[in-house]
Amino acid sequence: MKSIKNHLYRQSQPSGLWFIGEISENRDFYPKMDHLVCFLSGSLALSHLNGLDENGEHLEMAKKIGQICHKMYQNPTGLGPEIIHFNIENRTEDVSREDSYVKSLDSHSLLRPEAVEAWFYLYRVTKDPKYQEWGWSAFEAIEKYAKVETGGYSSIDNVLRKKVRRRDKMESFFPAETLKYLYLLLTDDQEILPLDRWVFNTEAHPLPVYN
């Protein structure tokens, strides 16, 4: 985490939003963040929950990464794109410039679970209802744009267009993870699978914690 903070944790311009970037093979910093990276927010929330976050720094990072993951969903369809890019140069003369943007080649949505997973952990740790609100908005967008009338849900070619084109393909992680984390985030019974007694593996399968 120290290395991530020192080398990958940067702020966008002009609003100073925190995100996790990448380092290329030439050691250049590349201001892009895959939807997959949203998992880190949940891991940091778990770090706080399990007493590994002495000064609260991990939880603050978790909140900021969870926030930028929510920003990924702020587009015409409300679905998360595969990758988001950030502006990191401070150009005071360009007042209309946005902090982030989505390239057309990265605008597809596979209905990935990592953002919802992060909001689930953040809600369990903080009890802040905004994470449930974000999850519900994502669910409504999935129902509106990804649901197939004959059954199932489909990946979307471009989240920036309300007239969506479906890929006729549903990833296995969508029912296994995305829907599971949405249920756990939104259910009234938050005692289901308490995090001091259960741990979720990479594919969201709950495993009991043995003393």
Side-chain angles (χ1 to χ4, degrees):
M1 282 313 304
K2 289 181 180 178
S3 294
I4 289 175
K5 184 178 179 183
N6 290 337
H7 300 290
L8 304 179
Y9 195 44
R10 300 285 184 87
Q11 284 183 288
S12 64
Q13 296 295 331
S15 303
L17 304 175
W18 289 95
F19 68 96
I20 303 292
E22 297 181 1
I23 293 178
S24 70
E25 58 185 10
N26 298 320
R27 298 186 179 181
D28 297 323
F29 182 78
Y30 193 25
K32 66 179 280 282
M33 179 174 156
D34 289 33
H35 189 284
L36 291 163
V37 179
C38 292
F39 91 92
L40 184 59
S41 174
S43 295
L44 290 169
L46 275 177
S47 169
H48 181 82
L49 187 67
N50 287 285
L52 304 175
D53 185 21
E54 294 180 357
N55 56 11
E57 183 179 41
H58 285 184
L59 182 58
E60 288 307 308
M61 288 183 70
K63 291 177 181 179
K64 290 173 181 176
I65 298 170
Q67 177 72 47
I68 209 66
C69 292
H70 173 56
K71 185 171 178 58
M72 296 180 78
Y73 285 72
Q74 295 176 324
N75 58 61
T77 61
L79 296 170
E82 189 71 1
I83 299 172
I84 189 171
H85 298 258
F86 297 91
N87 294 308
I88 57 175
E89 296 180 4
N90 190 4
R91 299 177 183 174
T92 55
E93 72 280 1
D94 188 0
V95 295
S96 63
R97 193 174 59 140
E98 297 287 339
D99 284 71
S100 62
Y101 58 96
V102 177
K103 295 182 179 180
S104 58
L105 290 176
D106 307 322
S107 63
H108 56 285
S109 175
L110 303 182
L111 310 181
R112 289 193 182 276
E114 290 80 18
V116 179
E117 174 187 2
W119 302 336
F120 158 66
Y121 285 118
L122 283 166
Y123 179 70
R124 283 285 179 96
V125 172
T126 68
K127 307 304 181 190
D128 190 331
K130 73 179 180 183
Y131 299 115
Q132 288 187 317
E133 294 168 6
W134 295 353
W136 180 249
S137 295
F139 174 74
E140 288 186 312
I142 291 170
E143 285 288 294
K144 184 174 182 179
Y145 293 105
K147 190 173 184 178
V148 180
E149 291 182 0
T150 54
Y153 294 78
S154 174
S155 300
I156 300 299
D157 266 352
N158 192 334
V159 302
L160 305 178
R161 299 174 183 171
K162 286 189 174 181
K163 190 175 181 179
V164 298
R165 186 172 65 180
R166 300 188 179 96
R167 291 187 168 186
D168 193 26
K169 178 182 179 181
M170 184 175 75
E171 301 288 347
S172 62
F173 54 68
F174 172 70
E177 299 181 69
T178 307
L179 291 181
K180 187 182 296 177
Y181 282 125
L182 277 169
Y183 173 77
L184 291 171
L185 169 63
L186 297 171
T187 180
D188 291 333
D189 183 5
Q190 286 295 316
E191 296 303 315
I192 296 176
L193 299 172
L195 297 179
D196 60 340
R197 294 169 51 194
W198 296 88
V199 61
F200 293 91
N201 71 1
T202 306
E203 298 303 318
H205 300 306
L207 302 173
V209 176
Y210 292 103
N211 294 324

